[in-house]
Amino acid sequence: MRAVLCESLGPVSSSLAVREIDAPHASGGQLVIDVKAAPVNFPDLLMVQGLYQMRPPLPFSPGGEIAGVVREVGPGVLGFAPGQRVMAFCGFGGFAEQIVLAPAQCFSMPDEMPFEVGASLFLTYCTAHHALVDRGRLTKGETLLVLGAAGGVGVAAIQIGKALGARVIATASSEEKRRFCLSLGADQAIDPGADLKGTLKSLGGVDVVFDPVGGDLSEPALRALRPRGRFLVIGFASGTIPKLPLNLALLKECDVVGVQWGAFALREPDKQRAIVEDLIRMWRAGAVKPPIHRTYSLDETAQALDDLAQRRVMGKVVVTP
């Protein structure tokens, strides 16, 4: 089978190659899945550069989430059969024609759900759901600020925030991206570089900040929180980890809350399964719909990662082996 391999850590252009490798086989307690779709996410980019907390041994295939069709079922596996449509969180290994996974990583996918959609419901949508529901306790009528809202996890936060009944303010760096955020349901879309704190204060402040960006945007967003607000630390796409003045947490009686969905999913699998079921319900209701920016062939994976790195992407980009 063919797979995209990271053979050395460094720039995407020089680290990835498409190779012919041995096809996997299912041992006891395993499934082999024919991969139909594998979205590209920011952790894939970091992993190839050796900057992510997970460092698979070289060579490895990036790609943290997939959807496909069960090809082979190993001894002892219940609840899955060859030909079944599934979606799965794999961490890495998804940019390949086939992948072997444990049943606990896999979820049955509705027949009417496109593979590109099913594959896109893990890293960004599960993160946003866990952040807003479990960690942020976002409720109907509250105001949610989404930083970096035109990216994959930002898009998920807009849609899930609206599904929960919140007023959503999105930030995006260009007029085109702000229009995109409004098309997804955001109530307002603002330029984060134009006095973010002042703009948010003029809009009445916010109850919850969803921050996957970090850098210079975090502190003004924190300053715009209302008393007893929640500041959700999702990640640092800017490349800079901010140093927040904790006296603000004291003065506002607000919460600064870390969100690490991957660790949560492994630690509490029953709650993770409930999140996936809720996202499928939201998708069926039309509240959640991952916007697919573009699909790429396996040979175009490096280009897909570079497009993500250069912020040429609005929504999800998906590799289709």
Side-chain angles (χ1 to χ4, degrees):
M1 72 165 188
R2 299 172 76 236
V4 175
L5 295 184
C6 176
E7 299 177 322
S8 63
L9 300 178
V12 169
S13 59
S14 59
S15 299
L16 297 180
V18 180
R19 304 295 190 199
E20 191 75 31
I21 63 174
D22 292 338
H25 293 284
S27 300
Q30 293 181 328
L31 301 170
V32 174
I33 299 167
D34 287 328
V35 178
K36 301 298 183 182
V40 176
N41 294 283
F42 196 65
D44 300 321
L45 188 66
L46 295 178
M47 201 177 293
V48 169
Q49 298 174 85
L51 300 176
Y52 196 57
Q53 56 260 39
M54 181 192 299
R55 291 197 176 188
L58 295 170
F60 69 91
S61 177
E65 54 186 348
I66 64 101
V69 177
V70 175
R71 182 184 187 90
E72 182 183 349
V73 177
V77 174
L78 301 176
F80 294 94
Q84 184 174 352
R85 291 158 51 91
V86 294
M87 51 192 189
F89 170 65
C90 49
F92 62 94
F95 298 151
E97 291 178 333
Q98 296 173 21
I99 188 171
V100 60
L101 293 173
Q105 297 172 271
C106 303
F107 300 80
S108 183
M109 190 172 70
D111 288 342
E112 69 274 21
M113 181 178 282
F115 287 115
E116 292 84 355
V117 171
S120 298
L121 289 182
F122 288 95
L123 280 166
T124 55
Y125 280 85
C126 285
T127 293
H129 191 291
H130 174 53
L132 296 177
V133 176
D134 300 326
R135 305 294 287 147
R137 310 180 308 280
L138 182 67
T139 59
K140 184 177 181 180
E142 288 192 311
T143 298
L144 167 67
L145 171 67
V146 181
L147 300 178
V153 73
V155 165
I158 290 173
Q159 294 183 343
I160 293 172
K162 291 305 297 179
L164 295 172
R167 170 195 177 205
V168 177
I169 301 173
T171 74
S173 59
S174 71
E175 183 61 34
E176 180 187 16
K177 290 182 178 181
R178 290 191 286 274
R179 287 196 300 269
F180 174 65
C181 293
L182 292 171
S183 75
L184 296 170
D187 297 282
Q188 287 153 303
I190 62 176
D191 181 353
D195 185 17
L196 180 60
K197 184 188 80 168
T199 301
L200 293 171
K201 289 283 191 179
S202 71
L203 294 173
V206 300
D207 298 293
V208 177
V209 174
F210 183 93
D211 182 10
V213 179
D216 295 337
L217 298 183
S218 297
E219 184 174 332
L222 176 61
R223 290 183 180 277
L225 267 183
R226 294 169 179 158
R228 299 196 177 183
R230 286 83 74 200
F231 185 99
L232 304 177
V233 182
I234 311 299
F236 314 103
S238 68
T240 302
I241 299 174
K243 294 178 172 60
L244 297 175
L246 289 181
N247 64 305
L248 294 175
L250 182 152
L251 294 171
K252 293 174 177 289
E253 286 198 311
C254 67
D255 299 338
V256 178
V257 184
V259 178
Q260 191 180 16
W261 166 73
F264 158 81
L266 293 174
R267 188 174 62 246
E268 302 189 51
D270 289 342
K271 290 184 178 179
Q272 167 57 22
R273 189 162 293 275
I275 286 176
V276 173
E277 291 170 355
D278 197 35
L279 287 172
I280 291 174
R281 178 192 64 78
M282 289 181 178
W283 176 78
R284 283 184 164 138
V288 159
K289 185 178 180 181
I292 308 302
H293 178 85
R294 182 185 157 188
T295 59
Y296 297 75
S297 70
L298 208 59
D299 294 301
E300 296 174 314
T301 301
Q303 181 63 55
L305 282 163
D306 188 62
D307 285 347
L308 184 69
Q310 300 304 320
R311 301 187 180 182
R312 293 188 287 261
V313 170
M314 293 187 292
K316 299 288 286 190
V317 291
V318 181
V319 173
T320 53

Coordinates of all heavy atoms in Angstrom, one line a residue, residues 150 171-183 189-192 314:
A150 N -11.5 31.4 11.8 CA -11.6 30.8 10.4 C -10.8 29.5 10.3 O -10.9 28.8 9.2 CB -11.1 31.8 9.4
T171 N -13.1 36.3 15.7 CA -12.0 37.1 15.2 C -11.4 36.4 14.0 O -11.2 35.2 14.0 CB -10.9 37.4 16.2 OG1 -10.1 36.3 16.5 CG2 -11.6 37.9 17.5
A172 N -11.0 37.2 13.0 CA -10.3 36.7 11.8 C -9.5 37.8 11.2 O -9.9 39.0 11.3 CB -11.3 36.1 10.8
S173 N -8.4 37.5 10.5 CA -7.4 38.5 10.1 C -7.7 39.2 8.8 O -7.0 40.1 8.5 CB -6.0 37.8 10.0 OG -6.1 36.7 9.1
S174 N -8.7 38.7 8.0 CA -9.0 39.4 6.8 C -10.5 39.5 6.6 O -11.3 38.8 7.2 CB -8.4 38.6 5.6 OG -9.1 37.4 5.4
E175 N -10.9 40.4 5.7 CA -12.3 40.6 5.4 C -12.9 39.3 4.9 O -14.1 39.0 5.2 CB -12.5 41.8 4.5 CG -14.0 42.1 4.2 CD -14.7 42.5 5.4 OE1 -14.1 43.1 6.3 OE2 -15.9 42.2 5.5
E176 N -12.2 38.6 4.0 CA -12.7 37.4 3.4 C -13.0 36.4 4.5 O -14.0 35.7 4.5 CB -11.7 36.8 2.4 CG -12.2 35.5 1.8 CD -11.1 34.9 0.9 OE1 -9.9 35.3 1.0 OE2 -11.5 34.0 0.1
K177 N -12.0 36.2 5.5 CA -12.2 35.3 6.6 C -13.3 35.7 7.5 O -14.1 34.8 8.0 CB -10.9 35.1 7.3 CG -9.8 34.4 6.5 CD -8.6 34.2 7.3 CE -7.5 33.4 6.5 NZ -6.3 33.1 7.3
R178 N -13.5 37.0 7.7 CA -14.6 37.4 8.6 C -16.0 37.2 7.9 O -16.9 36.8 8.6 CB -14.4 38.9 8.9 CG -13.2 39.2 9.8 CD -13.2 40.6 10.4 NE -12.8 41.6 9.4 CZ -11.5 41.9 9.1 NH1 -10.5 41.3 9.8 NH2 -11.3 42.9 8.2
R179 N -16.1 37.3 6.6 CA -17.3 37.0 5.9 C -17.6 35.5 6.0 O -18.7 35.1 6.2 CB -17.2 37.4 4.5 CG -17.3 38.9 4.2 CD -17.6 39.2 2.8 NE -16.6 38.7 1.9 CZ -15.5 39.4 1.5 NH1 -15.4 40.6 1.9 NH2 -14.7 38.8 0.7
F180 N -16.5 34.7 6.0 CA -16.6 33.2 6.1 C -17.2 32.9 7.5 O -18.1 32.1 7.6 CB -15.2 32.6 5.9 CG -15.2 31.1 6.2 CD1 -15.9 30.2 5.4 CD2 -14.4 30.6 7.2 CE1 -15.8 28.9 5.6 CE2 -14.3 29.3 7.4 CZ -15.0 28.4 6.6
C181 N -16.7 33.5 8.5 CA -17.2 33.3 9.9 C -18.6 33.6 10.0 O -19.4 32.9 10.7 CB -16.3 34.1 10.9 SG -14.6 33.5 11.0
L182 N -19.0 34.8 9.4 CA -20.4 35.1 9.5 C -21.3 34.1 8.7 O -22.4 33.8 9.2 CB -20.6 36.5 8.9 CG -20.0 37.7 9.7 CD1 -20.1 39.0 8.8 CD2 -20.7 37.9 11.0
S183 N -20.8 33.6 7.7 CA -21.6 32.6 6.9 C -21.8 31.3 7.7 O -22.7 30.5 7.4 CB -20.9 32.2 5.6 OG -19.7 31.4 5.8
A189 N -18.2 39.4 13.5 CA -16.8 39.0 13.1 C -16.0 40.3 13.1 O -16.3 41.3 12.4 CB -16.8 38.3 11.8
I190 N -14.9 40.3 13.9 CA -14.1 41.5 14.1 C -12.6 41.2 13.7 O -12.1 40.1 13.7 CB -14.2 42.0 15.5 CG1 -13.7 41.0 16.5 CG2 -15.7 42.4 15.8 CD1 -13.7 41.5 17.9
D191 N -11.9 42.3 13.5 CA -10.5 42.3 13.2 C -9.7 42.3 14.6 O -9.9 43.2 15.4 CB -10.1 43.6 12.4 CG -8.6 43.6 12.1 OD1 -7.8 42.8 12.6 OD2 -8.2 44.5 11.4
P192 N -9.0 41.2 14.8 CA -8.3 41.1 16.1 C -7.2 42.1 16.3 O -6.8 42.4 17.5 CB -7.8 39.7 16.2 CG -7.5 39.4 14.7 CD -8.6 40.1 14.0
M314 N -9.5 28.0 5.0 CA -10.7 28.4 5.8 C -11.5 27.1 6.0 O -12.1 26.6 5.1 CB -11.5 29.5 5.2 CG -10.7 30.8 5.1 SD -11.8 32.2 4.5 CE -12.0 31.7 2.8

